[in-house]
Amino acid sequence: MDLLAVELRSRPPYERLSSNASFSDRGPPPGDEEIPLSRAEPKELQKPPDTPATLRHVQQSHNLWLKFTLRWIVSLIFAALIVATLKIYERKRNFSPNQKTTFNTVITALILGLSLNLFVSATWLREAFKESARVLRWRILADKTYSERQQDLILGMENLLNVCKLGWQSRGKPAIWLVCLLWLLFNLLAQVSVALVSLTFSVDDGKTYNDTYFTDGLVRAPNMTHYFWRRAEPLAEQDSLGLAHNYGESYQNSSGCGPYSQFAKIYDAVYDPPYFCQMTGKAEFTYRFKEYNRNDTERTYPSLTNRTITASSGQCSVYKEETNHPTKDDFGIEGAATLYTFSNSTETIKIPTSHRGWAATTYVFRGHKLPQRATGQSCGDRCLWIWALRFGDQKKPKSTLFQCPITVSEVKKTTSEAHEVPDAIALVAAASIAMQGRWSGSINDKHWTQYQFYPWNTRWDTYGHKDAQVGINMAEFAIRTIAAMAEQNPRIDVEGRVPHLGSRLNVSNHWRYTGVLLACIVGAQFLLFVGTAWTSRSVVVVKDSHLAIARWLGSGKMEDEAIRRPQA
């Protein structure tokens, strides 16, 4: 194979092209001297008068590798930046609209930059595929003789439309037709691959508390100063008892409590259960307060605060029934109640007949005064003694009495008085499992001893339970009352962390596709450059500007007259 060379210099303005009998010397244009090429040494370009050194194959390979490597490094940098950007924003989890705009701008610019580097011309950097076509066309022209139309299309093969036309013109030549088809498919697959990169990730708008970001400002927090009727009117002390029980009874807890072994784990929870529970060691239940954006009227994306309140049970005492006999109830009706005595205690307890049943459980608040002021039933700060009588059945007819201390703590990590839960509210919640909201005695001497009856095999019965489980029932009912109250009570504005629905980059399920596409793009470009450099290493093109090509075409003719100059 002969060596093909084109050079555009200041003196003379061009260098002649020589090939294997495809062109013959016609003579230089006026004013230029002809510099003959030796046919005795077809693999070398003889040194022109002002050329500093002879161009050889090794030098040509070096030039091609340098040119292609730089472009390949540019694509590699773009691919690495795309991966880095996706990683950074994926770790951000939730970001604001401004950050979303920034991400879209950056990732679009990077994908566009990768595409420009591969397919679109620029004055400072020729695109990879067209640059390969410019180099390969000289290797193709140097290989054999072509018609004038084919040479024109080969010279313009950087344009895919010309490649299509060349394939059509060469449909009788399978080799050329196949090369054109493969080049078109290669370009098409590369462009589709770049476009598919943007389909491997998505930016999803948030819908729940897991999709929020925060700013400082006013938030909506629950008003915990009273129990409220229909979320509007605060209830009097005696009127709040029945509502407190209703809260604990009806509170929806379909997902169950969130277990924890260490209290700090509550703040690390990635989900929002109705309340948290610890069953190892001391049984306790914890509610984590929520705050809402003032625009979130549906309360769909709360801010999970660090404020918590806990309901717990201490060690319960257990008493075994010794005797029972009918007696007057609290209204003085003879035989309307049963008095129980116990073998291991001097305690006696009177249970209305309407609150008795085989294997059932009756919870009792034994205070003469309201729970808010029942100092005789107090077991400490914000703590009340609550009782439960489990009735016998046919197998074990004797009943069992449980006495448990139930405590509702103060709110932890408050930053404002508006975050506090008053003692009166906490004491009512502690006793809520036994509350009815009804008094006995006379109008001038009300007795606030109250009972709640649960038949066998219902949610709060104690059949088959040990004393610890009875205390767990009481404490869990108390925290359910607090949780329902926090959700049902009216809202007040306080300073806090305002939640906003953000956006989240979703790429975790498609990383393998992102990696494969970018690796294929960069790898295909590398293979293209290697193939181009290897194939074209024996063809030296000093410069292939349009002016150089025009002067070359005007300075020679084909011996078989395949190229013809137009007649004047």
Side-chain angles (χ1 to χ4, degrees):
M1 183 190 309
D2 290 339
L3 192 67
L4 182 65
V6 176
E7 181 184 19
L8 180 59
R9 306 192 312 276
S10 58
R11 296 188 312 274
Y14 72 97
E15 178 59 43
R16 301 287 299 279
L17 177 77
S18 176
S19 63
N20 57 346
S22 294
F23 299 92
S24 62
D25 295 334
R26 175 184 180 142
D32 289 337
E33 295 182 359
E34 179 181 355
I35 302 175
L37 300 179
S38 172
R39 294 185 179 276
E41 296 179 3
K43 296 299 182 181
E44 297 181 359
L45 175 64
Q46 291 186 352
K47 179 180 178 181
D50 56 351
T51 301
T54 300
L55 295 172
R56 298 181 181 275
H57 298 168
V58 174
Q59 183 177 353
Q60 170 68 349
S61 297
H62 177 270
N63 292 338
L64 290 174
W65 275 107
L66 179 61
K67 179 191 302 183
F68 290 156
T69 300
L70 291 176
R71 289 186 179 85
W72 181 75
I73 291 176
V74 171
S75 293
L76 188 63
I77 291 173
F78 275 119
L81 289 175
I82 290 172
V83 173
T85 301
L86 294 176
K87 283 287 186 182
I88 291 172
Y89 277 87
E90 184 183 37
R91 291 173 182 173
K92 278 182 176 292
R93 293 179 61 83
N94 304 313
F95 40 87
S96 66
N98 289 338
Q99 291 174 320
K100 178 181 178 181
T101 301
T102 301
F103 168 77
N104 287 333
T105 302
V106 171
I107 200 67
T108 301
L110 291 175
I111 294 176
L112 183 61
L114 179 61
S115 179
L116 289 174
N117 185 53
L118 293 175
F119 307 112
V120 181
S121 296
T123 57
W124 55 275
L125 179 65
R126 289 182 176 179
E127 69 289 357
F129 281 71
K130 290 188 177 181
E131 180 64 16
S132 297
R134 289 188 183 98
V135 174
L136 285 172
R137 63 185 179 178
W138 299 111
R139 176 63 179 83
I140 296 172
L141 285 171
D143 189 50
K144 59 187 299 185
T145 301
Y146 299 92
S147 67
E148 178 182 359
R149 179 57 174 162
Q150 288 175 331
Q151 289 189 74
D152 181 45
L153 293 174
I154 292 172
L155 286 172
M157 66 181 295
E158 61 192 66
N159 188 322
L160 294 181
L161 182 59
N162 287 338
V163 177
C164 294
K165 293 178 180 179
L166 179 61
W168 178 256
Q169 290 284 334
S170 306
R171 56 188 181 276
K173 299 178 180 179
I176 298 177
W177 183 86
L178 181 60
V179 169
C180 293
L181 178 63
L182 292 176
W183 181 252
L184 289 170
L185 291 177
F186 194 76
N187 275 266
L188 180 61
L189 289 175
Q191 294 187 48
V192 170
S193 298
V194 174
L196 287 177
V197 171
S198 61
L199 299 180
T200 61
F201 61 88
S202 62
V203 179
D204 302 328
D205 291 332
K207 297 180 180 178
T208 67
Y209 70 94
N210 280 324
D211 307 320
T212 54
Y213 67 97
F214 301 93
T215 60
D216 294 331
L218 290 177
V219 294
R220 306 289 286 176
N223 183 351
M224 301 295 287
T225 57
H226 297 84
Y227 290 90
F228 285 81
W229 173 249
R230 295 181 178 177
R231 303 184 182 182
E233 298 295 329
L235 293 175
E237 287 183 328
Q238 65 272 19
D239 296 330
S240 64
L241 306 183
L243 181 61
H245 179 82
N246 183 62
Y247 277 164
E249 183 74 48
S250 61
Y251 184 68
Q252 298 298 318
N253 182 20
S254 58
S255 60
C257 64
Y260 66 94
S261 56
Q262 298 178 353
F263 198 85
K265 297 294 184 182
I266 292 176
Y267 304 120
D268 299 331
V270 296
Y271 65 107
D272 179 31
Y275 49 87
F276 295 86
C277 53
Q278 177 177 270
M279 299 302 184
T280 58
K282 181 181 179 181
E284 63 180 23
F285 298 84
T286 299
Y287 176 75
R288 185 179 186 181
F289 285 93
K290 307 176 184 67
E291 296 173 340
Y292 293 87
N293 188 311
R294 293 193 293 174
N295 297 323
D296 181 16
T297 56
E298 299 296 327
R299 300 181 187 175
T300 55
Y301 51 98
S303 168
L304 304 180
T305 72
N306 289 333
R307 302 196 311 276
T308 56
I309 188 170
T310 299
S312 60
S313 171
Q315 180 65 44
C316 296
S317 299
V318 182
Y319 307 109
K320 301 296 183 180
E321 177 193 345
E322 185 176 70
T323 62
N324 70 80
H325 58 84
T327 187
K328 294 180 181 180
D329 65 6
D330 294 334
F331 294 95
I333 301 176
E334 190 66 45
T338 301
L339 183 67
Y340 291 85
T341 62
F342 302 92
S343 58
N344 56 341
S345 174
T346 59
E347 292 286 349
T348 62
I349 191 168
K350 183 169 56 177
I351 303 295
T353 303
S354 59
H355 290 77
R356 296 176 65 247
W358 284 109
T361 300
T362 297
Y363 291 93
V364 185
F365 169 69
R366 302 182 69 184
H368 184 74
K369 298 181 179 180
L370 289 167
Q372 298 93 318
R373 296 190 293 274
T375 55
Q377 296 298 314
S378 174
C379 48
D381 291 340
R382 299 164 70 102
C383 179
L384 287 176
W385 291 107
I386 307 300
W387 304 72
L389 183 64
R390 181 171 66 207
F391 299 97
D393 57 13
Q394 292 87 344
K395 294 182 179 180
K396 296 180 179 180
K398 295 293 184 179
S399 300
T400 304
L401 180 66
F402 302 91
Q403 180 187 15
C404 300
I406 306 301
T407 302
V408 176
S409 72
E410 294 183 344
V411 180
K412 298 180 177 67
K413 298 186 177 182
T414 60
T415 58
S416 168
E417 291 184 1
H419 297 154
E420 300 287 352
V421 174
D423 292 349
I425 301 298
L427 291 171
V428 172
S432 58
I433 195 169
M435 292 292 100
Q436 284 182 323
R438 297 176 60 187
W439 51 271
S440 60
S442 65
I443 190 67
N444 296 321
D445 185 21
K446 296 178 181 178
H447 293 188
W448 289 99
T449 299
Q450 297 179 62
Y451 311 88
Q452 277 291 350
F453 173 77
Y454 289 93
W456 173 80
N457 203 31
T458 55
R459 172 66 176 84
W460 302 105
D461 96 285
T462 63
Y463 186 80
H465 293 169
K466 296 183 179 180
D467 58 309
Q469 183 60 50
V470 176
I472 287 173
N473 280 6
M474 297 175 181
E476 184 173 7
F477 200 100
I479 205 65
R480 286 165 64 99
T481 298
I482 292 291
M485 179 184 179
E487 294 184 9
Q488 297 294 328
N489 276 14
R491 303 281 139 175
I492 55 176
D493 290 342
V494 297
E495 290 289 336
R497 299 171 67 237
V498 183
H500 304 273
L501 284 178
S503 301
R504 177 177 294 190
L505 178 63
N506 182 13
V507 69
S508 57
N509 296 329
H510 306 289
W511 267 117
R512 59 183 181 275
Y513 301 121
T514 306
V516 167
L517 284 173
L518 291 175
C520 288
I521 292 168
V522 176
Q525 184 181 358
F526 180 77
L527 293 177
L528 174 64
F529 288 169
V530 169
T532 302
W534 176 262
T535 304
S536 304
R537 70 191 188 284
S538 59
V539 179
V540 179
V541 180
V542 180
K543 192 166 185 179
D544 61 349
S545 68
H546 296 301
L547 184 57
I549 296 172
R551 286 179 171 174
W552 162 62
L553 290 173
S555 64
K557 67 177 184 178
M558 298 291 294
E559 291 182 357
D560 58 1
E561 296 186 353
I563 297 180
R564 298 181 178 87
R565 294 176 61 81
Q567 299 296 323

